Amino acid sequence: MQAFKVALIASVSCIAIPAYAQEMDPDEASARGSEIIVTGRAQRLYRVEQATVGKVAEDPMNIPQAVQVINADLFADQGARDATDIYRNISGVSFFSYAGVTFRGFRQDQSFYDGQRGNPFIGFSVPQLFNIERVEVLKGPAGLFFGPGSPGGIINYVSKTPSDETGLRAVLTGGTYDRIGLSAEATGPVDSSGVITYRLGGFYESMDPYRRNTQNKSRIGDAGIAIKTNESGKLTLQATIYDSELRANRLRGVLVDDDGNFLTSIRWNANEKTDFLNLRSQAYQARYATMIGDRVTFDAGVRYFKATEKQQYHEPRGLDSANPDLVRREFRDQIRPVHGLSFMANLTARVDVLGTEHKFQTGADWYDEKSLLHSRILRSGVPSLSLSNPVYGSGAGDAARAALLPFTTTDTRTKRKGAYLQDQISVSNALLLVAGVRYDKFDDGVTTSTGGTVSGRSTYSDSDVTFRGGAIFKPRPDVSLYASWSQSFEPQAAADQSSDAGGPFAPVTGNQLEGGVKTQLFAGRLQANAAVYRIVRKNILQVDPAQEPINGVDQLAPIGEVTSKGFEIDLTTDITPDWVLLVNYGYNDTKITGTAEGQAITNAVGDRFANAPKHKVGFWTRYQVPAIGAAFAFGGEHVSRRISLSGQTVKPYTIFDASITKGLGFAELLLRVDNIFDKVYAASGFSAQSGHFPGEPRTFLAELRFKF
């Protein structure tokens, strides 16, 4: 809080200092990234002309699926710090838990980095945006390019890379909950000819969040070198280290009644001060891209990551039946080491065949991951905790007692390899046809042991083929009408492939029909997109009641089916040269359309899915006043009613935030307030035992930004 007060005093004392941006004309100001005054923000800053959600760079207007791209300029304008800060900008996406989201009705926990697998924020940590240039969102099945995955869509984080232009940026941060932070990044050429360029970055932030006992400290170190190998070729080497220390922050929710009312303050926490979640991870990658002539491009990448998440925490286990003011707890000691290696290569070639231009794209990828979970759980003798008057300290000795227990280790091995081919046919300047096919081979294995003694082992190998087809019609260059059919698949859990249960079984499949329109009217000042879709997810395993158990093992069958239907609208526009507006709306209706009577499908209650809102609205608007070198912004989000995994109501909520950005000549100051009206709400639901995840109360943030 002290740092926030200092920033406020600094802003008041600097009001009399004329903003440097006032002394320049709009065109000159727009060329200087350090100034807040930019004429036509949607047209110049937020407009994205290339996305890599199709593995290679492509104009989103030529992609026959809904695509959203949020870049670093929007991060800065909104003061976004991690992935959860940008969900409100994405129609069809809402928060589920930790880094997981609900994506067109389906839970999705998987993220890609620069088009490859290897997420360093494993398990229960949220991706940070410090070293991210843009976030790309491909909605619907993405099996053609990314292999196994949820049919809701994928999120691809694109890293910042060395720049040909010299730049230095530093940010001082302060805010409520004793937040204080510092980040800096520098980039530019190493040699006078610009053959070698570099990027160095560092991030540190500390705060004591609103949940009791919690404290967060996060550090990121990022470095990269780019080497021009020829006129159009570049080799980029990058290394990033993440270090997070989260005290008492292996958070579950706060208990609620069946109507979704919190039973106590949202500050309540089942964790003791001695509990923790610490993440240390490293990511290294190399990427080479070049052009061969003027019609062929080639790129290849390799990515390796290694992460260890250590956590000791008290897990809530629901209310004590004898005393409804007490929450029962157990103590968990867990270590999660993960490492993975990924390779990728892509080639595109433009070829004229019988007077028609074909853009052939082919590629292959390979991924190998080893993930361990060492877990021991202490259930007896763990003291309960009061909801109305929690007294901490009595559970501080649980870690020592848990250390006497043996670890149960779950060793999961995952191998993925696939190859794809796509042809984009330019029938005319106005009509494009797209067709693609991919082959995937996967090998999964899970071994479980306790105290070194193996108690279970299962392996499974299979393959699948996915297809994608679409048509794009452009009545004019800035309007794109499209229709597409796309597929995805997810391997069945290795443990369910036992022959005793009737296995092996084919993967879960996802098929989507989508149609829509994308526009970039008035030279990009009005970007409006709309999409309507229907996704059918099949082959979900359930116990087959028509078959008798064999040797005491229930027989499974791919009985389950889920259908997701909806539409989305996204609008980004410059209302005036100084006034920009972003609005998005998503409607989704996801229901179970096939099941065995009396059985449930994962993440579903009855015929509905947990944390899948029917309606979600997000908006943000920014108005700049050049005369005073300042910009004023206002935003909000509405999420309709949902249910938790236990069927409890998750109440709808509407929250608002606002910010002021002021040019100071030597720097730029952002003052932001989130949840202006301090609304108490649940960001998502979890279970009756561990409650709902509360949304953050009213918070203040100040950033003093220096850019050279």
Side-chain angles (χ1 to χ4, degrees), residues 2-281:
Q2 184 64 31
F4 181 67
K5 293 178 181 177
V6 171
L8 283 176
I9 294 171
S11 68
V12 173
S13 65
C14 293
I15 290 296
I17 300 176
Y20 186 45
Q22 292 175 242
E23 301 172 4
M24 299 187 292
D25 61 44
D27 288 336
E28 183 182 357
S30 68
R32 292 178 58 92
S34 61
E35 307 301 339
I36 66 166
I37 299 175
V38 179
T39 301
R41 230 165 173 80
Q43 179 187 25
R44 302 190 184 194
L45 293 189
Y46 305 156
R47 185 180 179 185
V48 176
E49 297 183 349
Q50 285 190 332
T52 56
V53 289
K55 290 290 187 178
V56 300
E58 181 63 272
D59 186 342
M61 299 285 281
N62 294 337
I63 299 174
Q65 280 182 247
V67 175
Q68 276 188 262
V69 181
I70 302 163
N71 60 23
D73 292 310
L74 189 54
F75 297 166
D77 278 354
Q78 294 188 338
R81 314 192 66 73
D82 62 40
T84 61
D85 291 329
I86 63 173
Y87 295 155
R88 69 173 53 184
N89 299 310
I90 308 171
S91 59
V93 171
S94 57
F95 176 69
F96 194 107
S97 63
Y98 310 109
V101 297
T102 300
F103 211 144
R104 286 189 168 179
F106 299 103
R107 184 175 182 177
Q108 204 262 53
D109 296 295
Q110 193 176 67
S111 299
F112 292 82
Y113 280 75
D114 301 303
Q116 295 183 265
R117 297 177 188 269
N119 181 10
F121 295 97
I122 62 173
F124 303 93
S125 297
V126 178
Q128 302 293 305
L129 299 177
F130 165 69
N131 60 322
I132 300 300
E133 180 62 33
R134 65 183 185 272
V135 176
E136 302 177 338
V137 182
L138 176 62
K139 301 179 182 181
L144 179 69
F145 297 115
F146 294 94
S150 166
I154 65 101
I155 297 177
N156 181 43
Y157 294 90
V158 179
S159 304
K160 292 180 179 178
T161 56
S163 172
D164 294 333
E165 297 183 6
T166 299
L168 175 63
R169 184 174 188 265
V171 179
L172 293 172
T173 303
T176 45
Y177 308 116
D178 293 325
R179 171 179 280 179
I180 187 168
L182 170 65
S183 67
E185 47 193 320
T187 188
V190 174
D191 60 317
S192 58
S193 59
V195 173
I196 302 175
T197 54
Y198 79 97
R199 181 181 182 278
L200 290 173
F203 172 92
Y204 170 80
E205 188 167 279
S206 173
M207 66 182 298
D208 299 338
Y210 67 97
R211 300 286 294 273
R212 286 191 173 100
N213 299 328
T214 56
Q215 182 183 75
N216 298 354
K217 292 183 179 180
S218 299
R219 306 171 187 88
I220 302 174
D222 187 51
I225 292 178
I227 304 169
K228 292 183 180 178
T229 57
N230 52 46
E231 184 64 27
S232 60
K234 181 181 288 188
L235 173 65
T236 304
L237 308 174
Q238 294 173 275
T240 309
I241 297 175
Y242 306 88
D243 186 354
S244 298
E245 297 178 7
L246 311 180
R247 188 186 74 189
N249 209 343
R250 173 55 170 89
L251 293 175
R252 293 298 193 182
V254 176
L255 272 65
V256 299
D257 61 23
D258 289 343
D259 294 325
N261 301 303
F262 287 112
L263 299 179
T264 187
S265 166
I266 61 171
R267 296 186 63 237
W268 190 89
N269 186 359
N271 288 337
E272 302 278 346
K273 270 192 176 182
T274 50
D275 293 350
F276 61 85
L277 184 156
N278 295 335
L279 171 69
R280 288 175 174 80
S281 62

Side-chain angles (χ1 to χ4, degrees), residues 173-505:
T173 303
T176 45
Y177 308 116
D178 293 325
R179 171 179 280 179
I180 187 168
L182 170 65
S183 67
E185 47 193 320
T187 188
V190 174
D191 60 317
S192 58
S193 59
V195 173
I196 302 175
T197 54
Y198 79 97
R199 181 181 182 278
L200 290 173
F203 172 92
Y204 170 80
E205 188 167 279
S206 173
M207 66 182 298
D208 299 338
Y210 67 97
R211 300 286 294 273
R212 286 191 173 100
N213 299 328
T214 56
Q215 182 183 75
N216 298 354
K217 292 183 179 180
S218 299
R219 306 171 187 88
I220 302 174
D222 187 51
I225 292 178
I227 304 169
K228 292 183 180 178
T229 57
N230 52 46
E231 184 64 27
S232 60
K234 181 181 288 188
L235 173 65
T236 304
L237 308 174
Q238 294 173 275
T240 309
I241 297 175
Y242 306 88
D243 186 354
S244 298
E245 297 178 7
L246 311 180
R247 188 186 74 189
N249 209 343
R250 173 55 170 89
L251 293 175
R252 293 298 193 182
V254 176
L255 272 65
V256 299
D257 61 23
D258 289 343
D259 294 325
N261 301 303
F262 287 112
L263 299 179
T264 187
S265 166
I266 61 171
R267 296 186 63 237
W268 190 89
N269 186 359
N271 288 337
E272 302 278 346
K273 270 192 176 182
T274 50
D275 293 350
F276 61 85
L277 184 156
N278 295 335
L279 171 69
R280 288 175 174 80
S281 62
Q282 310 161 45
Y284 305 94
Q285 67 180 34
R287 186 78 176 264
Y288 179 69
T290 188
M291 290 191 66
I292 305 171
D294 60 355
R295 310 206 80 186
V296 177
T297 65
F298 172 77
D299 72 90
V302 57
R303 178 178 176 84
Y304 172 78
F305 85 101
K306 181 180 181 180
T308 300
E309 192 173 67
K310 296 181 179 180
Q311 49 192 27
Q312 293 184 353
Y313 67 102
H314 285 79
E315 170 82 1
R317 301 301 297 169
L319 294 174
D320 188 327
S321 58
N323 185 347
D325 183 56
L326 293 181
V327 177
R328 296 177 293 109
R329 297 186 298 173
E330 65 185 29
F331 181 78
R332 298 183 179 183
D333 183 359
Q334 298 177 337
I335 305 173
R336 301 171 182 265
V338 182
H339 64 86
L341 180 64
S342 174
F343 293 97
M344 175 182 69
N346 305 282
L347 177 75
T348 65
R350 296 182 181 273
V351 180
D352 293 327
V353 179
L354 300 176
T356 303
E357 184 182 77
H358 293 248
K359 180 182 176 183
F360 290 105
Q361 179 180 332
T362 185
D365 47 69
W366 178 92
Y367 182 64
D368 188 354
E369 179 184 288
K370 178 179 179 180
S371 175
L372 298 176
L373 169 60
H374 305 290
S375 177
R376 49 192 175 194
I377 302 177
L378 180 67
R379 293 188 171 92
S380 62
V382 179
S384 298
L385 189 68
S386 170
L387 283 171
S388 61
N389 184 31
V391 177
Y392 296 95
S394 60
D398 292 336
R401 293 195 296 124
L404 302 176
L405 301 174
F407 275 117
T408 294
T409 298
T410 303
D411 182 343
T412 303
R413 309 294 176 96
T414 302
K415 290 185 179 181
R416 303 279 186 264
K417 48 189 173 184
Y420 71 92
L421 173 65
Q422 177 179 273
D423 185 12
Q424 183 187 92
I425 308 170
S426 298
V427 178
S428 67
N429 290 334
L431 179 61
L432 298 177
L433 300 179
V434 176
V437 60
R438 178 184 174 102
Y439 172 80
D440 279 282
K441 178 76 167 60
F442 50 89
D443 299 279
D444 293 334
V446 178
T447 301
T448 304
S449 61
T450 301
T453 302
V454 174
S455 56
R457 179 180 285 117
S458 59
T459 60
Y460 183 65
S461 298
D462 201 354
S463 60
D464 202 7
V465 177
T466 50
F467 297 91
R468 178 181 187 236
I472 301 166
F473 176 65
K474 295 183 176 181
R476 46 186 285 174
D478 53 6
V479 176
S480 176
L481 305 172
Y482 71 89
S484 65
W485 174 68
S486 54
Q487 291 185 309
S488 68
F489 77 95
E490 302 160 86
Q492 305 284 3
D496 292 336
Q497 298 287 16
S498 169
S499 58
D500 289 344
F505 298 99

